[in-house]
Amino acid sequence: MSQPIQRRSRNRDKNNVLARPEFMSLNQPMAAPQEGRNSNRRQSAQNGNSFEGARERRQSQQLPEEDCMQLNPSFKGIAWNSLLAIDLCMSKRLGVCAHSASSWGSCRSMVQLIGITSHGLSWIGGTLFCLWKSNTNAGQEVLMNLLLALMLDILTVAGVQKLIKRRGPYELTPGILDYLLLDVYAFPAGHASRAIMVSKFFLNHLVLAIPLRILLVLWAFCAGLSRIMIGRHHISDVLGGFLIGYLQFNFVEIIWLSSNTCQMLSSFW
């Protein structure tokens, strides 16, 4: 009696669809809610870790900003970058005394000497010495305003250089005198601004013969050119220095110190 019952039950199990292996998971009891939440948390944590790993891999594969090419750059950006490239190329070509192994490397000392003639320390020291030796009110007035212009030039050039922080066309280490006058960066060229300001100052306030006036203008031009030849500045740095020096001269003319003010200041001397 029991054998026919067992035979019928086995037949029912064979005919039952849920008894097949592919549907066995439907017969399993449901997991507890807590286990479901834990599994969801583990899955979300794994997804989060994989997402962070993918993001780190993408960041590591990204190129530096300077190596990336902008898509659809503006016309102004193209023009500006082209001008900078031309400026750099021409400045490197004119830097014939940048190193001792350059084409004009043997003339480097002489070209540096031309630049020293427009150095701030030499001009400030010379102005102070002449002011100390001067006995006339007119001479003290001119020298005191020249000293004011020189101090203004140093502060202006140092401030603009610190703001822009442009490097020169060649990797040259600034000298000790450059650090003293805060003339570390390239734009604007402090020697060029000082040369054009001093030459303009002398042309306006000293009575000079025509040959001396021509030599003064040539000296200012050569002082700026020498800074390009030794690889210290770009062409645009020197042109910017010329412009700033001219503007400084006009500003000193506006705030010109009178003779009485200069005598009062010289009394503290």
Side-chain angles (χ1 to χ4, degrees), residues 102-261:
S102 302
S103 57
W104 289 18
S106 59
C107 303
R108 179 177 172 82
S109 300
M110 184 180 65
V111 176
Q112 281 182 327
L113 183 61
I114 298 175
I116 292 176
T117 59
S118 62
H119 202 279
L121 287 180
S122 59
W123 276 101
I124 291 176
T127 303
L128 291 175
F129 179 79
C130 294
L131 188 60
W132 178 51
K133 290 292 185 178
S134 178
N135 295 323
T136 62
N137 294 335
Q140 290 180 356
E141 179 182 354
V142 173
L143 291 172
M144 189 65 72
N145 283 278
L146 177 60
L147 182 62
L148 174 64
L150 291 172
M151 297 302 295
L152 178 64
D153 174 73
I154 292 175
L155 294 177
T156 303
V157 170
V160 177
Q161 285 187 357
K162 190 67 175 178
L163 181 64
I164 297 179
K165 294 183 178 181
R166 188 186 189 187
R167 297 292 181 180
Y170 293 91
E171 293 294 333
L172 299 176
T173 304
I176 299 176
L177 297 179
D178 296 328
Y179 281 108
L180 290 177
L181 292 181
L182 304 178
D183 190 13
V184 179
Y185 296 100
F187 184 88
H191 292 69
S193 66
R194 197 170 301 113
I196 200 68
M197 184 194 64
V198 170
S199 62
K200 184 65 175 174
F201 191 93
F202 285 172
L203 290 175
N204 276 40
H205 297 286
L206 296 181
V207 179
L208 301 173
I210 293 179
L212 290 178
R213 297 173 74 90
I214 294 175
L215 287 176
L216 195 60
V217 174
L218 289 177
W219 165 76
F221 174 77
C222 292
L225 180 61
S226 66
R227 304 301 289 173
I228 303 175
M229 294 177 66
I230 64 173
R232 184 70 175 80
H233 296 279
H234 301 84
I235 297 176
S236 58
D237 301 334
V238 173
L239 294 178
F242 286 158
L243 178 60
I244 290 178
Y246 181 77
L247 295 176
Q248 287 175 154
F249 165 77
N250 291 330
F251 180 72
V252 172
E253 290 291 309
I254 294 174
I255 63 170
W256 185 267
L257 300 179
S258 62
S259 178
N260 295 330
T261 305

